[in-house]
Amino acid sequence: MEFPSLSRFNVWRASATMRVWTIFLLLILLKSDVVYSDSDFLIGLGSYDITGPAADVNMMGYANTEQIASGIHFRLRARAFIVAEPNGNRVVFVNLDACMTSQLVTIKVIERLKARYGDLYTEKNVAISGIHTHAGPGGYLQYVVYIVTSLGFVRQSFDVIVDGIEKSIVQAHESLRPGSIFVKKGELLNAGVNRSPSAYLNNPATERSKYKYDVDKEMTLLKFVDDDWGPLGSFNWFATHGTSMSRTNSLISGDNKGAAARFMEDWFEQKASIRMSSVGFENDGIPRRISNIIPSVQDNHHELLELAASFQSPPGKPAIKTSSVARRVRGALMQVDKPRFVSAFCQSNCGDVSPNVLGAFCTDTGLPCDFNHSTCGGKNELCYGRGPGYPDEFESTRIIGERQFRKAVELFDGASEQIKGKVDFRHAYIDFSQLEVNISKVGASEVAKTCPAAMGFAFAAGTTDGPGAFDFKQGDDTGNPFWKLVRNLLKTPGKEQVDCHRPKPILLDTGEMKLPYDWAPSVLPIQILRVGQFVILGVPGEFTTMAGRRLRDAVKTVLSGDKSFGNNIHVVIAGLTNTYSQYVTTYEEYQVQRYEGASTLYGPHTLSAYIQEFKKLAKALIGGQSVEPGPQPPDLMNKQISMLTPVVMDATPLGVNFGDCNSDVPKNSTFKRGDMVSITFWSGCPRNDLMTEGTFSLVEFLQGKDTWVPAYDDDDFCLRFKWSRPFKLSTHSKATIEWRIPQDVTPGVYRIKHFGASKGLLGSIRHFTGSSSAFLVAQ
């Protein structure tokens, strides 16, 4: 062995000493409350339950009066991020597992934030966007046309959304720490198709030739990285409708985007758990699932079967209000000293984009629907889009969600372009009912106007995702004499209004209908949020593919004049933001009067108006100028009417307790992966307690001889909570919990629990719980 010379030894010893001191100082810094970082931003993320009433309330999206909530597919959440300059501006973006936000929700959230934080968070720098699931409870918007099918305003739906948004922002605010943000884009080819291709084809051929597809296939992802903890979460924007779940579904669901968010959050936490356990920190990891290190079921099948048989279904028993929260899987296992990973799949210009990628077919013949009108033998009711899991809508939801999730993981792992620069924002309220718009033409320009809101005949035809009824059809630019007579009973549009909306034949003149209060909005918010070279355009509606492209390009052209953005400006559209005003098509698409054109409320020049006003915001942003706030939208809270019948009381048959099993698993049951386990309990109405941040249903795993560990709950795609009563006014009700055993389940002994609440005749709420008999899950 060769020994180093004395001088080499001294150098080696000095460098070793330096390494030791460096490690020592790093450890001190990591343990200290003082964080040293050269990061440009403070970042914080938050997430909170907004699931809402899982019974009796009409769902928002399809406007189908028969689509009444009766259970939970998986829970809904509000997910928020805050990005702040250490001593400067900050912006907030909230993504809701809801059909859209509403003006009233935004108003009340801002009021709460102002009461809590002063002027730190206002309508100017807070954006609240919906993913557009059509499987969430309705009744939380303030304009008449959007709450007719929910029998008016539903205070419970409204309150849980406002509470959840506020709490998600509070979480993000309280977790603000130095960190970095990275951006990555990529194509996702199989998660959306154009559901109105005949309208898209009416756009100029020269414009269409610039694009490879008739829908946007690009996903844009932000990756948030804490200086100490590492990755905190991601938000991405991709355009596809939340209509994988059909108009006949009655289970609350985040649809494909909510599913993708759940898949990605679980993916990261499982990965983190494996990574932590591999270096000897099992107790510090986040064990999403039960450990697989147990004896093989094949080795002791008989013993486990006997053990399972010893746990028979006990009578239902009283429980404390927080029981379900305490047993919730992700809540029970979360680390209190480390931020949870938050992943949001945000909506973009999805107006004409369907997740039903197999195409639209006639239910009677199996043939493709009529291309121009989406009818079958002249009837729209028979034309339905098919998802990739057809005929299973749950499978279609999983597949489209998984495709978005897998693309997001790819972008997340590959994100390397760092966001650098300013944090800034601009916001304005615009009266779209009478806005002058400068329309540029070759060699000249003219002034046009938007119109008071109105919906066309093709609106009532619905879409291939959810067809309407009667003899309405898409592409109708004349209207029907009979339905015009019916319309006139509500409000006859004047000649000026008819001419303004032409060629749209007006079915509902909503902008001029004021009884019992406003039927549609006229004042809308528009908003730009800037984080370095990344820009979010908050729009209060559903832009079609080409409408979104035109708006993005127009804003990007303005912003490119500011050198601080660099050479790579990223502009995304956040649809359904801050309020809701239906659709926005191009002028050319409007002429065709498909569903989207008939639902473009403010006439053929609506898109031109948006582009004009957003360019003003963009110029003010790069010029450092303020903008006029514009007219305030109304707060109609005190005018809201609710006709939803309250829960009067719950009861059970004589000799039966709340929580008792009505239908149990057979004794000595053994199931395998892929099987469905179904248990029914005597229950109370889910409106008695929404179980916010808790669960109605739980699958527990037996560890050892007598320790039950939470394994799956309302947040899991594989577990469904279904609630029913024998007839509408019955005081008796049942909860059926269905568990489709996952392929990656840990073999062993399991049982199913139900948490609920009943309402007494005098209005008292009593919580209860019930358990099934135990059963064996084999390989």
Side-chain angles (χ1 to χ4, degrees):
M1 182 174 181
E2 181 178 333
F3 289 91
S5 66
L6 184 59
S7 59
R8 287 171 60 199
F9 178 78
N10 287 336
V11 170
W12 174 84
R13 185 174 61 179
S15 61
T17 303
M18 182 63 70
R19 285 196 296 271
V20 170
W21 274 105
T22 299
I23 293 170
F24 180 69
L25 286 171
L26 283 172
L27 289 172
I28 290 175
L29 289 176
L30 287 173
K31 294 296 183 182
S32 170
D33 290 333
V34 180
V35 179
Y36 293 86
S37 170
D38 60 355
S39 302
D40 287 351
F41 307 117
L42 301 176
I43 56 177
L45 281 76
S47 175
Y48 205 81
D49 189 354
I50 59 166
T51 300
D56 301 330
V57 176
N58 185 256
M59 289 182 165
M60 182 63 204
Y62 288 116
N64 176 16
T65 56
E66 296 178 358
Q67 190 188 15
I68 306 298
S70 62
I72 295 174
H73 179 205
F74 59 91
R75 286 190 165 262
L76 311 179
R77 301 195 71 79
R79 296 173 170 92
F81 74 72
I82 299 176
V83 178
E85 296 170 336
N87 297 298
N89 290 333
R90 60 183 61 201
V91 294
V92 183
F93 186 87
V94 183
N95 188 62
L96 295 182
D97 287 348
C99 194
M100 67 284 288
T101 191
S102 82
Q103 187 65 69
L104 194 56
V105 165
T106 302
I107 288 171
K108 297 308 176 186
V109 167
I110 297 302
E111 285 180 1
R112 292 191 183 191
L113 293 176
K114 285 183 177 179
R116 186 185 288 268
Y117 298 115
D119 291 330
L120 196 59
Y121 302 113
T122 70
E123 66 274 4
K124 296 179 181 179
N125 65 344
V126 176
I128 305 171
S129 176
I131 62 169
H132 211 38
T133 174
H134 287 40
Y140 61 92
L141 290 90
Q142 72 169 354
Y143 296 104
V144 173
V145 76
Y146 306 128
I147 56 175
V148 169
T149 57
S150 60
L151 300 179
F153 189 69
V154 180
R155 187 63 190 244
Q156 205 171 29
S157 291
F158 176 83
D159 284 345
V160 73
I161 291 176
V162 172
D163 290 346
I165 295 171
E166 180 191 20
K167 288 183 171 65
S168 71
I169 294 173
V170 169
Q171 282 184 20
H173 175 85
E174 293 180 349
S175 65
L176 279 168
R177 292 165 49 86
S180 302
I181 308 170
F182 300 86
V183 63
K184 181 76 171 177
K185 296 180 178 181
E187 278 192 345
L188 175 57
L189 299 180
N190 55 358
V193 295
N194 198 305
R195 70 185 186 190
S196 291
S198 59
Y200 180 87
L201 288 172
N202 209 44
N203 291 307
T206 53
E207 182 180 33
R208 287 186 281 112
S209 68
K210 295 191 298 183
Y211 303 98
K212 191 174 180 181
Y213 306 105
D214 62 359
V215 296
D216 284 342
K217 302 285 189 178
E218 190 170 71
M219 177 183 285
T220 303
L221 179 138
L222 289 183
K223 177 179 181 178
F224 298 91
V225 182
D226 184 278
D227 282 354
D228 291 335
W229 290 114
L232 289 177
S234 67
F235 279 58
N236 71 72
W237 288 261
F238 177 77
T240 194
H241 249 79
T243 48
S244 292
M245 300 296 288
S246 76
R247 68 196 299 272
T248 60
N249 163 64
S250 65
L251 301 185
I252 290 174
S253 174
D255 209 277
N256 56 70
K257 286 189 177 290
R262 169 52 53 231
F263 297 157
M264 190 157 183
E265 289 174 349
D266 284 350
W267 162 79
F268 184 85
E269 294 192 1
Q270 285 175 340
K271 187 176 74 168
S273 177
I274 293 169
R275 185 171 62 246
M276 294 297 284
S277 63
S278 68
V279 293
F281 290 101
E282 291 89 350
N283 292 332
D284 292 332
I286 307 173
R288 173 63 192 93
R289 290 287 177 249
I290 308 302
S291 170
N292 281 304
I293 306 173
I294 62 169
S296 170
V297 173
Q298 278 77 13
D299 296 340
N300 60 348
H301 183 277
H302 184 69
E303 285 180 40
L304 289 175
L305 200 57
E306 283 190 349
L307 184 59
S310 68
F311 291 95
Q312 293 301 302
S313 139
K317 61 182 182 181
I320 59 174
K321 179 177 173 60
T322 56
S323 295
S324 78
V325 177
R327 297 299 288 170
R328 183 170 162 265
V329 172
R330 291 158 185 81
L333 300 180
M334 76 177 283
Q335 281 182 278
V336 295
D337 60 340
K338 180 180 180 180
R340 293 296 301 269
F341 187 85
V342 177
S343 181
F345 285 68
C346 311
Q347 195 54 271
S348 191
N349 52 318
C350 68
D352 52 0
V353 188
S354 170
N356 296 312
V357 294
L358 299 186
F361 297 87
C362 298
T363 56
D364 56 345
T365 65
L367 298 174
C369 306
D370 173 80
F371 182 76
N372 290 315
H373 302 289
S374 295
T375 54
C376 300
K379 295 182 179 296
N380 69 77
E381 300 100 313
L382 302 177
C383 178
Y384 277 90
R386 294 179 180 177
Y390 175 83
D392 185 341
E393 62 190 304
F394 294 94
E395 183 65 4
S396 291
T397 299
R398 183 195 66 79
I399 293 170
I400 297 297
E402 189 171 273
R403 288 173 181 175
Q404 292 177 78
F405 151 64
R406 292 193 182 282
K407 175 54 67 173
V409 168
E410 176 189 319
L411 299 179
F412 182 85
D413 286 341
S416 58
E417 180 188 339
Q418 189 166 356
I419 299 294
K420 294 281 188 179
K422 302 176 183 176
V423 174
D424 208 347
F425 48 86
R426 291 296 183 276
H427 175 283
Y429 290 114
I430 308 294
D431 187 345
F432 271 76
S433 69
Q434 49 187 354
L435 183 65
E436 290 191 349
V437 186
N438 291 305
I439 308 295
S440 296
K441 295 195 174 183
V442 178
S445 64
E446 66 179 46
V447 177
K449 273 192 172 185
T450 57
C451 325
M455 298 192 292
F457 274 66
F459 159 78
T463 71
T464 56
D465 293 336
F470 305 110
D471 54 353
F472 297 101
K473 65 180 181 181
Q474 296 194 66
D476 183 356
D477 60 2
T478 57
N480 175 293
F482 171 76
W483 290 111
K484 286 182 179 179
L485 287 174
V486 175
R487 169 201 68 190
N488 293 342
L489 295 175
L490 292 172
K491 171 73 172 64
T492 303
K495 182 180 183 302
E496 184 178 355
Q497 178 77 325
V498 170
D499 290 343
C500 188
H501 281 274
R502 200 177 305 278
K504 178 202 294 177
I506 295 175
L507 176 64
L508 289 173
D509 189 13
T510 53
E512 298 182 323
M513 296 166 71
K514 304 294 183 181
L515 294 175
Y517 45 89
D518 292 359
W519 278 56
S522 57
V523 175
L524 303 179
I526 62 171
Q527 185 177 42
I528 297 181
L529 303 183
R530 175 188 180 181
V531 180
Q533 69 270 32
F534 189 83
V535 174
I536 301 172
L537 308 182
V539 299
E542 303 173 59
F543 278 56
T544 61
T545 298
M546 194 64 86
R549 288 167 175 170
R550 290 184 189 178
L551 176 62
R552 283 198 306 261
D553 288 348
V555 171
K556 193 170 182 178
T557 298
V558 174
L559 298 180
S560 63
D562 184 347
K563 293 182 180 179
S564 70
F565 280 95
N567 298 321
N568 200 14
I569 304 172
H570 304 275
V571 180
V572 297
I573 287 176
L576 309 121
T577 296
N578 294 333
T579 192
Y580 184 62
S581 59
Q582 293 175 247
Y583 284 75
V584 180
T585 63
T586 67
Y587 178 86
E588 295 82 1
E589 290 165 351
Y590 186 91
Q591 306 308 307
V592 178
Q593 280 299 294
R594 294 274 298 193
Y595 173 85
E596 295 82 11
S599 303
T600 296
L601 294 185
Y602 307 101
H605 303 295
T606 300
L607 174 60
S608 296
Y610 272 105
I611 291 173
Q612 171 181 285
E613 298 306 310
F614 264 103
K615 287 171 70 174
K616 291 178 183 176
L617 286 193
K619 289 175 182 176
L621 185 76
I622 63 175
Q625 301 157 347
S626 60
V627 295
E628 289 294 323
Q632 287 291 313
D635 178 344
L636 301 177
M637 175 63 87
N638 294 332
K639 294 187 177 182
Q640 295 303 310
I641 298 170
S642 178
M643 293 178 285
L644 181 67
T645 306
V647 180
V648 178
M649 67 170 293
D650 297 287
T652 58
L654 289 174
V656 173
N657 299 320
F658 288 106
D660 281 1
C661 269
N662 174 255
S663 175
D664 201 357
V665 292
K667 192 172 182 179
N668 297 323
S669 292
T670 299
F671 298 91
K672 62 181 184 301
R673 293 166 178 171
D675 286 349
M676 177 75 83
V677 182
S678 181
I679 312 289
T680 301
F681 299 89
W682 288 101
S683 190
C685 182
R687 284 198 281 156
N688 295 326
D689 189 326
L690 304 184
M691 301 295 170
T692 302
E693 287 293 346
T695 184
F696 287 103
S697 47
L698 183 68
V699 176
E700 293 182 316
F701 174 86
L702 182 63
Q703 260 188 347
K705 297 293 184 182
D706 57 5
T707 302
W708 292 98
V709 180
Y712 301 89
D713 63 14
D714 281 353
D715 266 337
D716 282 289
F717 200 85
C718 63
L719 197 64
R720 299 175 195 170
F721 166 69
K722 298 181 175 180
W723 180 83
S724 63
R725 53 164 75 97
F727 54 90
K728 188 171 183 179
L729 298 179
S730 175
T731 58
H732 294 175
S733 65
K734 297 176 184 177
T736 299
I737 297 173
E738 296 177 349
W739 181 38
R740 176 71 69 183
I741 301 175
Q743 294 300 321
D744 63 349
V745 74
T746 300
V749 176
Y750 288 84
R751 72 178 182 185
I752 291 177
K753 288 182 72 74
H754 168 48
F755 298 94
S758 64
K759 186 174 185 178
L761 185 59
L762 299 180
S764 61
I765 302 296
R766 293 184 174 87
H767 291 79
F768 61 85
T769 184
S771 300
S772 74
S773 298
F775 51 89
L776 181 62
V777 175
Q779 293 279 12

